[in-house]
Amino acid sequence: PKPPTAPAPLAAPTADDIRGVLDASQDSTATHKQLAKKLSAICERMGSKNFTAALVTLIQPLLLVSKKHRGVEKVFRFLRVFCLELQEEETITDLINVCLDFCRARDKTVRYRACEVTSHLMDTLPCEDEDDEEEEDPHRAALYNKVIETMKRCL
């Protein structure tokens, strides 16, 4: 008899894996929680920086869609569900910073969409306890100030 073989290691996730999840998120909001768990697993396996770079590359074309498009709206809502599921502040902050860069774009549609995504992502940041006001996180305060200043320039 043959000795048992070890299972083949899982291939590292790619941008195509992320694209598949984003494509599926356009179909129905009912599956967003399940898809968010799948995307969280991909994020963990890819690493925060690689994942963020791949995700931003895939979302960039959606920022150019000027008219209300159900598929685009569902992807942006899915990103919110995903960030709520992820609860990894570093990745969420990285995504917000990239969106803030897009808020400075010349194209009005890109600015609008970037502000829309930034709003969704800001909603997902974990709340600080009111009791811990003395111990305010300087990174979070800097992020809030950056968002405020960028939004002022967008108006």
Side-chain angles (χ1 to χ4, degrees):
K2 291 184 178 178
T5 57
L10 293 173
T14 64
D16 287 336
D17 297 323
I18 299 171
R19 181 181 294 114
V21 173
L22 293 179
D23 286 347
S25 74
Q26 295 179 40
D27 296 336
S28 169
T29 56
T31 59
H32 278 187
K33 268 197 158 313
Q34 178 185 5
L35 291 171
K37 289 179 183 177
K38 186 175 181 179
L39 196 58
S40 292
I42 292 171
C43 178
E44 287 176 20
R45 290 180 45 217
M46 284 182 82
S48 179
K49 298 295 182 197
N50 292 336
F51 174 80
T52 302
L55 183 62
V56 168
T57 302
L58 294 170
I59 290 174
Q60 248 178 321
L62 301 179
L63 298 175
L64 295 169
V65 178
S66 60
K67 296 190 177 181
K68 272 229 187 260
H69 187 275
R70 277 191 4 219
V72 173
E73 301 297 324
K74 285 181 182 178
V75 169
F76 291 158
R77 276 189 246 127
F78 168 70
L79 284 177
R80 183 180 188 284
V81 173
F82 162 68
C83 288
L84 285 169
E85 174 72 31
L86 185 65
Q87 286 297 313
E88 187 178 305
E89 197 166 337
E90 179 188 352
T91 303
I92 298 169
T93 302
D94 289 346
L95 288 170
I96 290 172
N97 281 319
V98 169
C99 286
L100 290 176
D101 290 340
F102 286 122
C103 286
R104 296 184 191 108
R106 285 187 180 172
D107 189 316
K108 180 171 70 170
T109 302
V110 173
R111 286 194 312 267
Y112 171 78
R113 291 290 188 177
C115 289
E116 180 182 18
V117 174
T118 300
S119 170
H120 285 306
L121 296 176
M122 290 296 291
D123 285 345
T124 65
L125 286 173
C127 294
E128 291 183 354
D129 293 335
E130 291 178 14
D131 300 335
D132 295 339
E133 286 182 21
E134 311 87 44
E135 300 176 28
E136 188 173 311
D137 182 5
H139 297 294
R140 181 176 292 207
L143 177 65
Y144 285 140
N145 288 335
K146 184 175 179 182
V147 169
I148 291 167
E149 289 305 314
T150 302
M151 295 303 160
K152 282 181 183 177
R153 279 184 258 149
C154 288
L155 296 178

